[in-house]
Amino acid sequence: MSHSGSALKPFHWSELPNGVIIRESLEAALSPWWPRIFGYYMLNLGPLSHKIDKPNVAISRQFGLFDEAQAQIRGDYSQLPIQNVSVDAVVMNFVLEFEADPYRLLREIDRVLVSGGHLIISGFNPLSPMFLGQILPKHQNEIPWNGRFFTPSRVKDWLGLLGYQVVADERLLHHHLLNEVKIDNIWSHALKSWLPSSGSIYVLVARKLESPLTPIQAKRKVKQPNWSTAPSAGRTGHVSKSSNQT
């Protein structure tokens, strides 16, 4: 059975266990970021990305891409029907878990994202109490445990290979989510204090680097002789240097 089948993907927050609490926690974690992400176009990949509140977002136009009537664009995640280098930000909530080839999807996102653009990813952390649902047979065929959970470090490795800088890395909800979450749960508070990285939800904000590292090193090598031949460190050094160049 393929993980990419549409029937296995969550289309509504209510299809996730404690979906309302997950959505509200995610919205609270991301709210400081929306005013800091600029541009003209934001791509919300998947219905759960489209259906979160983004207050004070600094991007003028948003498009949702998924297979539902509410979507502005319908298409295959692995072959996005979008031009190269045309999107300023991509939001992807709980999508990687249900893709047959998650790294291919990340490469597609990289293709459409502009240099300096932002990529926001949320997902389920297998190194958390969430793993209980994957080992209990009665939950293994339920959303989201029917998907494949990737560790945040693995997702960060993929982003690093594509040339992204992770600027935020957060964990939410230190709870297995199998039953109703109580915000003031003593066990969850203790787990958050002792093992903060074990939150069941991870949130990553990454920025596409404007240029690869190799050209930057090459530029430094070109400039280095000019620095070493500067006539003096005095105030008039820049004047004499500029007069030599004329």
Side-chain angles (χ1 to χ4, degrees), residues 55-236:
N56 304 312
V57 65
I59 290 185
S60 52
R61 306 184 84 176
Q62 294 189 48
F63 298 93
L65 192 156
F66 48 96
D67 190 18
E68 201 175 285
Q70 294 176 326
Q72 286 84 14
I73 307 172
R74 289 193 176 193
D76 187 348
Y77 292 167
S78 61
Q79 293 179 322
L80 299 176
I82 299 173
Q83 292 181 350
N84 293 351
V85 196
S86 60
V87 175
D88 300 283
V90 176
V91 181
M92 187 167 61
N93 294 327
F94 309 108
V95 172
L96 291 177
E97 289 83 354
F98 306 98
E99 283 301 298
D101 191 344
Y103 186 63
R104 180 178 176 181
L105 170 56
L106 289 175
R107 289 202 312 267
E108 267 295 277
I109 291 171
D110 182 61
R111 177 182 64 80
V112 303
L113 198 61
V114 302
S115 292
H118 285 82
L119 171 57
I120 295 172
I121 302 176
S122 67
F124 295 105
N125 180 14
L127 303 179
S128 75
M130 282 286 286
F131 82 92
L132 284 174
Q134 290 197 312
I135 62 175
L136 295 174
K138 70 174 183 176
H139 294 290
Q140 289 173 355
N141 293 321
E142 297 176 358
I143 293 173
W145 293 283
N146 63 313
R148 292 179 298 164
F149 294 179
F150 301 101
T151 63
S153 60
R154 186 172 183 185
V155 178
K156 288 190 286 187
D157 284 345
W158 287 336
L159 293 172
L161 289 173
L162 292 169
Y164 284 71
Q165 177 188 18
V166 175
V167 294
D169 179 3
E170 191 172 352
R171 303 287 179 276
L172 312 173
L173 298 173
H174 294 66
H175 193 284
H176 52 66
L177 302 177
L178 290 168
N179 52 27
E180 187 176 348
V181 173
K182 294 182 180 179
I183 301 299
D184 294 325
N185 184 303
I186 295 174
W187 183 79
S188 294
H189 278 297
L191 191 61
K192 184 176 181 179
S193 299
W194 289 99
L195 292 171
S197 64
S198 67
S200 292
I201 310 297
Y202 69 82
V203 184
L204 301 175
V205 180
R207 189 167 181 265
K208 184 175 180 178
L209 297 179
E210 296 189 23
S211 57
L213 294 178
T214 305
I216 294 174
Q217 291 171 348
K219 285 180 183 177
R220 285 177 179 167
K221 288 177 182 177
V222 170
K223 289 181 178 179
Q224 194 170 359
N226 290 335
W227 296 339
S228 62
T229 56
S232 70
R235 292 184 180 180
T236 59

